[in-house]
Amino acid sequence: MSDLKKEAESLDKASSALGRVTHHTAKPLHTFREASHDLSAFGALGSLMSATDDIRDGMHKLAKLTHALEEEWHAEAKVMRDVSRAFDLLDGLIAAAARDGKG
């Protein structure tokens, strides 16, 4: 097996794994977002100090950043898949050229 073929397979596996990340983060992220609406654990002290608003804002920002990171991972997975396919194509072209050169 050629080095390009090995790299293509490795990139393809990595892109698949990276593309599935949101399967693992969707539920925790949803739970985190829901929790930002119920900050009653801080009680009256949190309300008096305006801490709940700050915490809620921070939680919303973290959720947005996580979503942006997931989008970046998906884009990265697509690039990895494209490179993997390009390596497969290049490997095939090199093999065909080698066969033509021997014939």
Side-chain angles (χ1 to χ4, degrees):
M1 180 181 281
S2 73
D3 288 342
L4 281 175
K5 188 71 174 168
K6 289 177 187 176
E7 286 298 320
E9 287 178 2
S10 177
L11 281 169
D12 190 52
K13 286 180 186 177
S15 91
S16 293
L18 194 55
R20 290 190 307 267
V21 166
T22 56
H23 296 286
H24 303 290
T25 60
K27 187 176 179 180
L29 184 57
H30 176 73
T31 303
F32 185 78
R33 283 183 174 144
E34 290 298 314
S36 72
H37 298 293
D38 180 21
L39 299 175
S40 59
F42 292 107
L45 181 61
S47 297
L48 291 174
M49 297 175 59
S50 302
T52 53
D53 290 337
D54 292 341
I55 292 169
R56 185 176 292 113
D57 289 344
M59 290 176 80
H60 285 292
K61 285 179 185 174
L62 283 172
K64 285 180 183 178
L65 287 171
T66 301
H67 181 71
L69 185 57
E70 288 173 345
E71 288 178 348
E72 187 174 327
W73 287 336
H74 279 289
E76 198 66 33
K78 183 187 179 316
V79 168
M80 291 168 74
R81 249 187 325 274
D82 291 347
V83 170
S84 171
R85 290 178 184 146
F87 281 176
D88 277 336
L89 181 60
L90 182 58
D91 187 55
L93 292 172
I94 290 170
R99 281 191 306 271
D100 290 345
K102 289 181 182 178

